[in-house]
Amino acid sequence: MGAGHAHKLYRHGHSPVHDLPPHCKLAATLAFVVVVVSTPREAVWAFGLYAVLIATVAAVARIPAGFLLRRLLIEVPFVAFAVLMPFVAEGEQVRVLGMSLSVSGLWGAWNVLAKGTLGVAASVLLASTTELRALLLGLQRLKLPPLLVQIASFMIRYGDVISDELRRMSVARRSRGFEASGIRHWGVLAKTAGALFIRSYERGERVYLAMVSRGYAGSMPVIDEVAATRAQWAYAAALPVTALAVCLMGWTL
């Protein structure tokens, strides 16, 4: 099973985090996110410790802070939503900088920002230290349904192919003097989308027939079977286990 070239989120390296088996990192990331989401929002100090844990993992993986922060921009839409919550939520009001804000809205905004940012940061670290092909092998190793793994594999493999097809169609339109400038051109863009869908569907049929002719029977062969040792599982578990201890302290204090 392959996934094409490395994705731009991946940062090549040889750190201890890079060298961990992908299924260990997937399980550790999922467990960490579950712990973060389970932490009471009032335990503000706990989220600070989670951020320290993420920074520690990034340092061990030799991921620059700027690289990580730039990729956190993907959560900007959620930040915009969180900023609006204190203004639209009902309940007890408090004055902040001359503005009347909802107390429950402020807590809700903090909850979304803190947990969302930590979850995205953990996901970015996972993607930065694990190639896409390795992630797919890790999902397969964790017994994710094979059909879902295959769908994800083909999405990754042919996403760039479809993007290049769309780019060539756009170049062809512009070379003929077409420039979309208003609603009257939506029909042309709709036809482009339809043509792209038909080409993609036909490509999928050809790929499937080629796979069947080579012995495909519903499952993809696993070329690299990566097994994890107990030491590697323990190393990967350090992040979620430490976070769990912080979470339990947050519930008891």
Side-chain angles (χ1 to χ4, degrees):
M1 183 191 330
H5 58 272
H7 195 272
K8 62 182 179 181
L9 283 178
Y10 177 70
R11 185 179 177 86
H12 182 73
H14 297 286
S15 70
V17 180
H18 285 80
D19 295 337
L20 280 176
H23 49 289
C24 293
K25 288 185 279 188
L26 281 165
T29 301
L30 177 61
F32 175 77
V33 171
V34 170
V35 170
V36 170
V37 172
S38 303
T39 304
R41 64 187 185 183
E42 292 79 10
V44 177
W45 58 270
F47 296 101
L49 292 180
Y50 293 150
V52 172
L53 289 176
I54 289 291
T56 302
V57 174
V60 172
R62 303 186 184 95
I63 302 297
F67 182 91
L68 181 62
L69 292 175
R70 285 194 301 271
R71 278 143 185 81
L72 286 178
L73 293 177
I74 194 175
E75 68 164 344
V76 167
F78 298 97
V79 172
F81 170 76
V83 169
L84 292 176
M85 293 181 66
F87 296 95
V88 299
E90 299 179 351
E92 182 183 353
Q93 300 290 311
V94 63
R95 302 291 295 184
V96 178
L97 300 177
M99 296 180 293
S100 181
L101 304 178
S102 167
V103 174
S104 61
L106 287 172
W107 278 116
W110 160 251
N111 194 49
V112 171
L113 285 175
K115 296 180 179 180
T117 301
L118 289 168
V120 172
S123 301
V124 169
L125 280 178
L126 174 64
S128 301
T129 57
T130 315
E131 293 182 343
L132 284 175
R133 177 176 175 274
L135 282 175
L136 294 173
L137 291 173
L139 292 173
Q140 193 170 45
R141 183 75 178 179
L142 292 174
K143 305 303 181 183
L144 195 74
L147 182 60
L148 294 181
V149 177
Q150 291 178 45
I151 291 174
S153 175
F154 285 116
M155 287 177 60
I156 294 170
R157 178 183 292 275
Y158 289 101
D160 290 339
V161 175
I162 302 303
S163 298
D164 288 341
E165 186 77 27
L166 182 61
R167 181 183 56 80
R168 288 193 294 270
M169 294 171 69
S170 176
V171 171
R173 289 198 310 270
R174 291 198 302 270
S175 67
R176 290 165 175 79
F178 174 82
E179 288 292 342
S181 59
I183 191 172
R184 60 192 179 90
H185 290 138
W186 285 9
V188 177
L189 298 179
K191 292 177 181 177
T192 299
L196 180 64
F197 173 79
I198 293 173
R199 293 185 185 184
S200 302
Y201 181 82
E202 292 176 344
R203 185 188 297 273
E205 288 291 318
R206 293 195 300 270
V207 171
Y208 174 73
L209 293 175
M211 291 170 58
V212 171
S213 68
R214 290 164 174 79
Y216 175 74
S219 61
M220 300 292 287
V222 179
I223 299 175
D224 300 325
E225 185 69 20
V226 181
T229 64
R230 291 184 178 179
Q232 289 173 321
W233 275 112
Y235 188 79
L239 175 65
V241 169
T242 306
L244 178 60
V246 174
C247 178
L248 294 176
M249 291 175 60
W251 280 105
T252 55
L253 293 181

